[in-house]
Amino acid sequence: MQHAQALEPALETSTGLDNRKLLMWLFLASECLFFGSLIAAYMLYRDRSVVGPYPGDLFDIPFTSVSSFVLLMSSLSMVLALAAIQRGDQRGLRIWLLCTALLGITFLSGQAFEFTEFYREGLSLDTNLFGTTFFVLTGFHGAHVSVGVLILLSLFVMALRGRLTPEKSLNVELAGLYWHFVDVAWVVIFTVVYLVTPT
Amino acid sequence: MENPAFLLGIPIVVIGAIGVLLSLATLLGSTRLPAWLLEPMAAEHVPTRPVHEPAALGETSHPGPMEYVMVAAALFALEALELVVYYLDFLGAAALPIFLLLTVIQFAMVAMWYMHLKFDSRAFWQLFVGGMILAGAIFVVVLATLGSSFL
Amino acid sequence: MARALERRPLSIGEALRRAREEGATYRGIWSWIVTVDHKRIGTMYGVTAFAFFLMGGIEALLIRLQLATPNGSVLDAEKYNQVFTMHGTTMVFLVVMPLSATFFNLMIPLMIGARDVAFPRLNAFSYWVFLAGGLFMNVSFLTGGAPDAGWFGYANLTSKAFSPGHGIDYWFLGLQILGIASMASAFNFIVTILNMRAPGMSLFRMPVFVWMTLVTSFLIIFAFPVITVGLFQLMFDRLWGANFFNPAAGGTPLLWQHMFWLFGHPEVYILILPAMGIVSEVLPTFARKPLFGYPFVVFSGVLIGLMSWGVWAHHMYTTGLGSVANSAFGISTILIAVPTGVKIFNWIATLWGGSINFKTPLYFSVGFISMFIVGGLTGVMHSMVPSDYQQQDTYFVVAHFHQVLFGGAMFGLFAGIYYWFPLFTGRMLKETWGQLHFWLMFVGFNLTFQPMMILGMLGMPRRIYTYEGGMGWDALNLMATVGAFTIATSILVFIYNVVVSLRSRERAPADPWDGRTLEWTLPMPVPAYNFAEIPTVHSRDDLWHRKYVEDEQGRPVLVVAAGGSGEPPGHNEHGDGGHHAIHMPSPSFFPLIAAIGLPIIGFGLIYDWALVAVGVVVLLVGLYGWALEPASE
């Protein structure tokens, strides 16, 4: 007997895997191709810019590292939120969800600051290959983080209204999977774009 | 023999030859392909299985908050290590494999603990890693073909 | 729906719940708008795809009219470019892919013994987004010109400098929208196939069509992100001056070609595998023999899917990649012919020694096999690098891909239409008209495209709007045009057949083809809930084994069921009466609302940022409504 999945406890399936969890992992697998393409374009054009500014002129590694730490810590708060809902700790759930969202917003602010700094230093989408590939890659990553923040805030509001009971923990788990993916994508981007760069 | 692509052909031809010999042997009846190859998923009765519920309170196999914090501390340390390597100019080109290694470890830790892959069905990590391998392989070829300096 | 908007102190949740309850009683056209039933969605896909097929066909006829004679004056160069671009884009994205989706939707749940797909609203969303994308792209004809840089949109022709109008913008935005539809659908079917099989249906007891759908869906979810990025790169270049494909800034147009063909080659297997799946279902039924070498047919399908990732640059041999790359891709392309060959031999072996039932689905399937052999062999010719240097950009390539996409995919899809038509309409398509359709189409097809093989060898380039007379091309082009109109006639015959058959009072008999798979156990037309009782599956071709056992000579002998009616087990006479206890997913209008947001964003990116904001709001309203809708009761 098959139901619409909506917000229901899991049913029997041929593989024993939950439909929505399987869907999320398929989606994340496809996102590997998406980010892989963007990263490849960056790597291809890495040292082919004909005019500056060049990465070495603009990157502020300490600043971006702090941003990266922030995002990494948001993964911790995310998984703590999941642990909270699973053991029925509604207060913990709300705190950690909000914390994750706020850390995400902090990361985005850091990105926004960085973008505007680079822009003021003369780098935009059309300046050179570095500008093009950098802004598009990190821009799409930022867009993914933004969507994640939106989802987290929505879950937070639901939690405030008492609608996120332990049976609904899958929703938090799925949001968490998405959030962690966005985090590891940043780990890769930070290394490939910022650290591995001809100075 | 100027074209090194010939080298690619050799393993392919060898594999092909083995395949042909295998099929001929099966045809002649002296060899049977193992059942698991022909019917890997066969079962007399495949019942539907209840979905594995997320670990409930009290199960010890599921990591608790303390383990998550420890993972976070490790990630913090790895990130810091990356920064140290970045500032060590004497490493030169050797920095690259170190960065990649540190990145992979961070990625794996988040995936295994935070994304729970270590404890979940292997189907999930197979899908995820499959996507990554595919992306990696095709873009290595693209970058090589377009003469990227990265490779 | 109007009642849900009355001013009463209802919370959002209560309002949505009430709308859903009322949704169960939607009637008429409104019931189609809010449907989440896979059969209705499949029907809408089919009708819409067929409408686009007629449109793409008219575009083809315009091309052929222009090229029928040298120095033709039917279309000028600009119009010609728009027509051949839209013909290709339409046929690939708005016809063959949606027709495959039609069969995924109609057949997958039935073949695996499920009542619907894993995510019914996502399914509806896929359809509406497809419709939105198709309409969006075609609106370009009215807004200053359709895209005109070919269905492959090579950079730098597509740059703002060389394509200043909005045509290309409609192209890449339309494709992005369509990509979302395809991906949503693919995710849905993977989860459905893996998770919703009836008890006893292991993966190796699934019909081959289900396997091919699974492989195709995996190809979609991995290939479409790549073209999505490529199209974004094009968008950023065109709209905001980015440098992805700008040589002056150090970029390379070849990056576009890699991105496009990384997607494009798996895409052609996405186009052909479902049709191969259909043929794998039709042949055993009409030969009254099991599919020969089922594991090999399945493995070769999986292998084709995997190998399709290793051959893309065979579209780029002539771009100066160098001999190492060319040789590597040449070898991998030659190798990918092998699993296809395996399938062809298995199909032939299926027919060999069978008790053949000469009906229209069989004709189209045999047509598929023969035409695909020719098309596939010409593909092997292309795989040889030096040979391809002669053939690239000539009509030989045009002949090759039409051979496999029309002679292959379309013939396979028509086989499916004739085969499964009774299941959803309760009526058979008329056999004589069907055979007339087949022969007219077969003759017309060959008359159109075999001359193109020769034209290609004679050196006629692709993508030219006219040619000089006296080069030995005239007669062949005229022949191709005559052939195209013959195909058009055959389509008219088909349309007539459909209309007449639908209006016929003659109901189809139960299990009209003496089928082998689960869908034929159902009453025709299939009721909303599909199976009154989810079956338990004991073998491959489960229905066949319930109906027949083999005698000493291995011939099938009808099993007379206890009770002696001889009817296929599971076939039940009662109509809606037995389904009160079956809960089906509730209809919803949020997928449609969310879908509408996408083309609005598209228009906004072309014309006005305010529209983007509007589109985003509409999309978010649709998505939030969808997420917050209470579970069906």
Side-chain angles (χ1 to χ4, degrees):
Chain A
M1 194 178 65
Q2 275 80 26
H3 282 298
Q5 284 295 322
L7 301 168
E8 268 191 347
L11 305 163
E12 302 224 333
T13 60
S14 314
T15 55
L17 307 172
D18 182 274
N19 280 354
R20 292 191 298 160
K21 195 161 168 183
L22 181 57
L23 177 67
M24 178 54 79
W25 277 110
L26 287 169
F27 174 68
L28 295 181
S30 77
E31 288 270 80
C32 290
L33 273 295
F34 183 82
F35 277 105
S37 308
L38 289 169
I39 293 172
Y42 181 87
M43 286 166 70
L44 175 68
Y45 286 156
R46 190 176 65 129
D47 47 7
R48 296 192 187 185
S49 289
V50 171
V51 296
Y54 300 100
D57 306 332
L58 295 176
F59 283 160
D60 180 350
I61 300 298
F63 177 81
T64 317
S65 315
V66 171
S67 246
S68 308
F69 282 128
V70 164
L71 202 60
L72 275 177
M73 291 307 109
S74 75
S75 263
L76 172 64
S77 58
M78 181 74 236
V79 77
L80 290 175
L82 178 61
I85 189 178
Q86 283 173 342
R87 62 170 187 269
D89 177 1
Q90 283 290 313
R91 188 165 162 274
L93 169 68
R94 286 182 217 137
I95 291 173
W96 291 120
L97 274 179
L98 186 62
C99 183
T100 311
L102 288 176
L103 287 171
I105 292 172
T106 307
F107 173 82
L108 288 172
S109 321
Q111 289 293 88
F113 177 77
E114 200 173 69
F115 278 27
T116 43
E117 266 306 295
F118 288 6
Y119 185 73
R120 277 162 16 102
E121 305 271 337
L123 185 77
S124 66
L125 256 183
D126 55 4
T127 312
N128 57 10
L129 289 178
F130 170 54
T132 291
T133 52
F134 173 80
F135 282 122
V136 171
L137 170 59
T138 53
F140 269 111
H141 177 264
H144 277 77
V145 176
S146 307
V147 169
V149 168
L150 207 60
I151 293 173
L152 286 167
L153 289 175
S154 308
L155 286 174
F156 175 68
V157 168
M158 281 177 68
L160 275 182
R161 300 170 76 179
R163 301 265 304 277
L164 271 185
T165 52
E167 304 86 63
K168 302 244 166 77
S169 69
L170 184 68
N171 295 301
V172 178
E173 190 178 354
L174 295 177
L177 287 176
Y178 176 80
W179 188 259
H180 296 306
F181 176 78
V182 165
D183 183 22
V184 293
W186 180 255
V187 167
V188 176
I189 292 171
F190 180 60
T191 306
V192 165
V193 172
Y194 290 85
L195 297 182
V196 181
T197 236
T199 34
Chain B
M1 278 282 172
E2 323 133 327
N3 194 335
F6 276 110
L7 293 171
L8 272 174
I10 296 173
I12 292 173
V13 167
V14 168
I15 294 172
I18 295 175
V20 168
L21 288 172
L22 248 184
S23 345
L24 284 176
T26 352
L27 205 63
L28 295 170
S30 55
T31 318
R32 291 180 69 245
L33 287 172
W36 62 263
L37 185 63
L38 290 176
E39 295 273 7
M41 312 273 188
E44 254 319 295
H45 177 75
V46 174
T48 53
R49 291 176 237 168
V51 171
H52 175 87
E53 302 279 60
L57 177 67
E59 277 190 37
T60 49
S61 64
H62 187 82
M66 211 46 229
E67 275 107 319
Y68 291 137
V69 172
M70 293 194 320
V71 169
L75 291 170
F76 196 96
L78 287 163
E79 185 85 6
L81 194 54
E82 280 201 308
L83 276 183
V84 167
V85 170
Y86 176 77
Y87 282 113
L88 289 177
D89 287 326
F90 73 84
L91 281 172
L96 177 58
I98 300 177
F99 282 137
L100 292 179
L101 182 67
L102 291 174
T103 303
V104 165
I105 298 175
Q106 283 182 288
F107 195 111
M109 291 189 78
V110 172
M112 287 202 290
W113 274 279
Y114 289 169
M115 297 173 91
H116 216 248
L117 278 180
K118 191 163 183 273
F119 312 96
D120 274 342
S121 159
R122 66 173 180 207
F124 294 138
W125 72 254
Q126 285 171 342
L127 274 172
F128 194 43
V129 171
M132 280 194 288
I133 291 177
L134 181 65
I138 59 182
F139 286 110
V140 162
V141 175
V142 171
L143 287 177
T145 311
L146 290 176
S148 161
S149 64
F150 222 100
L151 296 167
Chain C
M1 180 189 169
R3 270 175 277 171
L5 299 174
E6 272 185 68
R7 279 192 215 97
R8 269 196 250 158
L10 289 176
S11 75
I12 296 179
E14 283 168 30
L16 289 173
R17 193 174 302 114
R18 178 172 299 218
R20 276 186 90 104
E21 284 161 17
E22 291 171 0
T25 59
Y26 289 136
R27 295 253 179 274
I29 195 156
W30 193 248
S31 72
W32 288 86
I33 303 269
V34 298
T35 187
V36 295
D37 179 346
H38 70 98
K39 300 179 289 298
R40 288 192 151 203
I41 292 171
T43 307
M44 292 196 287
Y45 260 112
V47 169
T48 310
F50 194 75
F52 281 122
F53 179 61
L54 296 178
M55 194 161 177
I58 290 172
E59 284 155 356
L61 291 178
L62 284 170
I63 294 173
R64 286 317 320 163
L65 278 173
Q66 167 63 13
L67 294 177
T69 54
N71 298 306
S73 50
V74 172
L75 297 169
D76 64 25
E78 278 189 40
K79 295 262 177 359
Y80 182 84
N81 289 345
Q82 292 177 29
V83 171
F84 88 72
T85 300
M86 288 306 285
H87 166 76
T89 307
T90 298
M91 289 306 196
V92 170
F93 294 102
L94 304 179
V95 177
V96 177
M97 285 188 80
L99 279 176
S100 301
T102 302
F103 287 108
F104 297 162
N105 269 285
L106 291 174
M107 301 312 305
I108 295 294
L110 302 183
M111 285 179 150
I112 62 174
R115 290 217 167 89
D116 209 306
V117 294
F119 303 103
R121 288 172 296 174
L122 189 65
N123 204 12
F125 177 74
S126 296
Y127 170 72
W128 293 115
V129 173
F130 153 59
L131 179 64
L135 291 174
F136 178 86
M137 219 190 297
N138 280 288
V139 158
S140 60
F141 276 117
L142 305 170
T143 58
D148 58 358
W151 87 280
F152 36 78
Y154 279 167
N156 286 346
L157 180 57
T158 47
S159 66
K160 204 74 184 169
F162 295 111
S163 294
H166 285 309
I168 302 297
D169 300 324
Y170 276 98
W171 185 73
F172 69 74
L173 288 166
L175 284 183
Q176 294 285 44
I177 297 174
L178 292 168
I180 293 172
S182 293
M183 289 201 66
S185 183
F187 286 128
N188 214 342
F189 282 105
I190 294 176
V191 177
T192 304
I193 292 171
L194 291 180
N195 265 3
M196 292 177 70
R197 286 167 282 139
M201 183 168 281
S202 63
L203 288 176
F204 267 65
R205 288 182 187 163
M206 297 195 309
V208 172
F209 181 70
V210 183
W211 268 109
M212 295 301 105
T213 304
L214 186 64
V215 176
T216 303
S217 300
F218 269 105
L219 285 177
I220 290 174
I221 69 169
F222 289 131
F224 271 83
V226 181
I227 191 63
T228 302
V229 170
L231 291 169
F232 274 127
Q233 291 171 337
L234 180 62
M235 175 173 95
F236 279 93
D237 268 22
R238 280 183 63 84
L239 297 185
W240 299 305
N243 296 304
F244 283 107
F245 312 124
N246 179 7
T252 169
L254 274 186
L255 177 63
W256 165 264
Q257 291 202 28
H258 278 291
M259 300 299 282
F260 184 83
W261 288 118
L262 269 171
F263 153 78
H265 198 84
E267 167 69 4
V268 310
Y269 292 104
I270 290 167
L271 294 173
I272 198 67
L273 285 175
M276 288 182 163
I278 294 175
V279 166
S280 305
E281 299 302 322
V282 170
L283 289 178
T285 303
F286 288 80
R288 301 176 62 75
K289 271 178 76 206
L291 181 69
F292 191 93
Y294 171 98
F296 290 96
V297 178
V298 168
F299 274 131
S300 58
V302 173
L303 207 55
I304 287 173
L306 287 170
M307 291 170 80
S308 69
W309 288 101
V311 301
W312 80 89
H314 66 225
H315 300 271
M316 297 166 65
Y317 286 151
T318 55
T319 59
L321 298 177
S323 53
V324 174
N326 279 356
S327 311
F329 281 100
I331 294 174
S332 59
T333 308
I334 293 171
L335 286 177
I336 203 172
V338 172
T340 307
V342 166
K343 282 183 182 274
I344 297 204
F345 284 119
N346 279 294
W347 288 326
I348 295 175
T350 304
L351 289 170
W352 192 277
S355 160
I356 310 288
N357 185 7
F358 287 91
K359 293 289 190 310
T360 310
L362 180 75
Y363 282 96
F364 275 105
S365 301
V366 175
F368 172 102
I369 297 175
S370 52
M371 294 296 96
F372 196 81
I373 291 176
V374 175
L377 288 176
T378 52
V380 177
M381 289 170 70
H382 290 308
S383 73
M384 315 279 176
V385 178
S387 190
D388 188 67
Y389 268 65
Q390 293 285 333
Q391 294 153 203
Q392 173 75 334
D393 286 336
T394 66
Y395 262 81
F396 195 76
V397 181
V398 177
H400 158 71
F401 64 69
H402 282 95
Q403 191 81 36
V404 287
L405 286 179
F406 194 136
M410 280 311 298
F411 272 63
L413 292 164
F414 274 116
I417 293 175
Y418 278 90
Y419 183 50
W420 283 308
F421 191 84
L423 195 56
F424 299 98
T425 60
R427 287 161 179 77
M428 309 287 287
L429 280 167
K430 305 283 181 213
E431 190 53 36
T432 25
W433 289 104
Q435 299 207 6
L436 180 62
H437 167 203
F438 171 76
W439 286 111
L440 272 176
M441 184 170 259
F442 187 78
V443 168
F445 166 80
N446 282 293
L447 201 54
T448 312
F449 295 106
Q450 304 315 338
M452 288 189 197
M453 301 268 187
I454 304 173
L455 279 169
M457 287 291 146
L458 290 176
M460 181 173 176
R462 290 174 74 171
R463 311 168 194 153
I464 52 170
Y465 80 106
T466 192
Y467 54 94
E468 286 293 328
M471 291 194 285
W473 299 349
D474 307 5
L476 292 166
N477 270 296
L478 188 58
M479 217 189 293
T481 303
V482 170
F485 278 89
T486 313
I487 296 175
T489 313
S490 75
I491 299 297
L492 291 175
V493 169
F494 170 72
I495 295 174
Y496 177 77
N497 195 356
V498 172
V499 171
V500 156
S501 305
L502 280 176
R503 292 166 68 176
S504 158
R505 286 175 184 276
E506 216 183 301
R507 306 291 308 222
D511 192 16
W513 309 113
D514 199 15
R516 310 178 71 89
T517 39
L518 286 180
E519 71 269 22
W520 299 109
T521 64
L522 298 172
M524 306 190 314
V526 176
Y529 49 86
N530 299 350
F531 296 88
E533 253 182 62
I534 301 294
T536 302
V537 172
H538 300 286
S539 66
R540 211 178 285 159
D541 287 345
D542 196 60
L543 173 60
W544 186 264
H545 295 290
R546 290 193 227 166
K547 291 190 291 189
Y548 297 99
V549 293
E550 297 204 337
D551 66 9
E552 314 81 51
Q553 279 101 14
R555 285 176 309 204
V557 171
L558 197 62
V559 168
V560 175
S565 68
E567 282 195 63
H571 175 87
N572 52 59
E573 296 289 354
H574 57 72
D576 283 356
H579 85 300
H580 290 306
I582 300 175
H583 299 288
M584 293 302 292
S586 302
S588 169
F589 45 80
F590 285 113
L592 173 59
I593 294 178
I596 288 174
L598 293 173
I600 298 177
I601 295 174
F603 284 117
L605 284 169
I606 297 179
Y607 297 113
D608 191 343
W609 279 101
L611 275 177
V612 174
V614 170
V616 169
V617 169
V618 171
L619 177 64
L620 285 175
V621 165
L623 290 175
Y624 270 95
W626 182 347
L628 297 175
E629 261 179 331
S632 56
E633 287 307 312

